[in-house]
Amino acid sequence: MRVVTEPDCDTPASVPYTKTVATAYFWGLMQPKDIEPPCDKRFYHLNGVTVRSTFGQYLLSGVTLGIVNKRRIEWCCAPYVPPTDSL
């Protein structure tokens, strides 16, 4: 699943993706900690979020009967664009 806004994170070359792995236990009853992205405080916006699972993560979930669920999460922050005044 991927959530994207305009402009996309792939547009500016200097906007990197941040990656982490979130793990939920016991069929989602024990949720992972909230992720607070380190975006610029002047323009605190996420610009794209991608959630993926690898074959190994699916296999782990199947072997443990859903007790352990891992997902890889990637996100990027929108670059700061200072406001401009009109003439």
Side-chain angles (χ1 to χ4, degrees):
M1 175 176 64
R2 185 169 191 219
V3 178
V4 178
T5 61
E6 290 292 329
D8 190 7
C9 289
D10 296 333
T11 306
S14 62
V15 180
Y17 270 95
T18 306
K19 302 174 185 177
T20 188
V21 175
T23 306
Y25 297 99
F26 305 108
W27 308 280
L29 296 175
M30 186 175 164
Q31 291 289 322
K33 291 183 180 179
D34 291 341
I35 298 170
E36 186 173 335
C39 296
D40 190 343
K41 300 295 183 194
R42 299 172 292 178
F43 193 67
Y44 199 67
H45 297 287
L46 281 175
N47 201 25
V49 179
T50 305
V51 180
R52 296 183 181 166
S53 297
T54 63
F55 177 73
Q57 291 168 339
Y58 281 122
L59 189 62
L60 175 66
S61 180
V63 168
T64 62
L65 300 176
I67 293 174
V68 179
N69 286 300
K70 291 184 176 272
R71 299 292 181 260
R72 184 175 66 182
I73 303 169
E74 300 174 351
W75 69 88
C76 67
C77 297
Y80 176 67
V81 178
T84 57
D85 292 332
S86 61
L87 296 176

